[in-house]
Amino acid sequence: MDGVNRRRFLELAAGTVGLAGTSHGATQGAFRFNRRMVFEDPDVLSDAYLNRIVLVTDTSEAEANVPSVGRCGFDDPWPPENVDAFQGLVVEWRNRDTARLFGTDRRVRAEKLVRRHLFVERRETPVELGTPFIISNVVRCPDGLVGVEANQIPGIRIETPSGNEEGVG
């Protein structure tokens, strides 16, 4: 099942989402890192990937069938050996004002949450669990995959609707 209910979301991310903002204090107002990521196209979400949140929740075992990230439409080649595997959530969210993400109140309301295997560009600085990223560019990949470029923004707090205990999306 691709959808994530409210309880499962809280289990996966409750501690890590809040800590992502507090552990980076002084750099809260700036993008810290950007990464290229590839994941299976979540057909239960809209096609509007820009500004969607990707939350890295857990490490994953390197799989023998890592997708060919080199065949995605990124501007610079991405060698397949530079891939780390993670578990994560793709979050479709809504707020009254997108600009809030860059202010002091970084809460967003999750409309839908979908768990995905994330294949992330390996860099010298590893991705920390609980790291929220905002998708800034989307490229198409073969075989039902989506490639994104995403910027880390510390301190985002993802809230799920309190009246919906059965789940979102």
Side-chain angles (χ1 to χ4, degrees), residues 68-139:
S68 179
V69 295
R71 292 178 33 207
C72 292
F74 294 107
D75 288 339
D76 296 322
W78 181 2
E81 62 274 5
N82 284 351
V83 176
D84 288 325
F86 291 93
Q87 294 293 317
L89 296 170
V90 179
V91 182
E92 193 168 281
W93 60 277
R94 184 178 309 178
N95 268 14
R96 288 172 284 169
D97 182 8
T98 305
R100 289 175 61 189
L101 290 180
F102 304 102
T104 57
D105 183 4
R106 295 184 177 192
R107 290 177 291 171
V108 298
R109 187 180 73 215
E111 296 290 317
K112 293 182 183 176
L113 306 159
V114 178
R115 186 183 358 241
R116 282 288 177 255
H117 291 286
L118 304 174
F119 301 98
V120 180
E121 180 179 24
R122 182 179 301 139
R123 296 230 178 130
E124 187 175 310
T125 305
V127 174
E128 295 178 24
L129 297 183
T131 301
F133 289 88
I134 299 291
I135 296 174
S136 60
N137 188 34
V138 180
V139 300

Side-chain angles (χ1 to χ4, degrees), residues 1-164:
M1 180 170 141
D2 290 331
V4 177
N5 68 25
R6 184 172 191 269
R7 276 194 195 98
R8 183 66 181 138
F9 171 75
L10 293 173
E11 289 171 5
L12 290 169
T16 57
V17 174
L19 292 176
T22 58
S23 65
H24 301 298
T27 60
Q28 253 187 349
F31 293 123
R32 295 200 57 236
F33 300 104
N34 63 359
R35 300 284 174 147
R36 292 185 284 188
M37 302 178 182
V38 172
F39 52 85
E40 184 180 327
D41 188 0
D43 57 358
V44 297
L45 300 177
S46 71
D47 288 336
Y49 289 100
L50 288 179
N51 295 323
R52 189 168 287 159
I53 296 172
V54 177
L55 180 67
V56 178
T57 60
D58 203 358
T59 57
S60 187
E61 292 296 318
E63 298 179 11
N65 58 349
V66 171
S68 179
V69 295
R71 292 178 33 207
C72 292
F74 294 107
D75 288 339
D76 296 322
W78 181 2
E81 62 274 5
N82 284 351
V83 176
D84 288 325
F86 291 93
Q87 294 293 317
L89 296 170
V90 179
V91 182
E92 193 168 281
W93 60 277
R94 184 178 309 178
N95 268 14
R96 288 172 284 169
D97 182 8
T98 305
R100 289 175 61 189
L101 290 180
F102 304 102
T104 57
D105 183 4
R106 295 184 177 192
R107 290 177 291 171
V108 298
R109 187 180 73 215
E111 296 290 317
K112 293 182 183 176
L113 306 159
V114 178
R115 186 183 358 241
R116 282 288 177 255
H117 291 286
L118 304 174
F119 301 98
V120 180
E121 180 179 24
R122 182 179 301 139
R123 296 230 178 130
E124 187 175 310
T125 305
V127 174
E128 295 178 24
L129 297 183
T131 301
F133 289 88
I134 299 291
I135 296 174
S136 60
N137 188 34
V138 180
V139 300
R140 292 295 167 193
C141 301
D143 304 323
L145 300 172
V146 174
V148 300
E149 294 171 341
N151 298 303
Q152 179 180 340
I153 299 181
I156 293 175
R157 297 190 190 283
I158 302 168
E159 299 174 343
T160 58
S162 60
N164 187 359

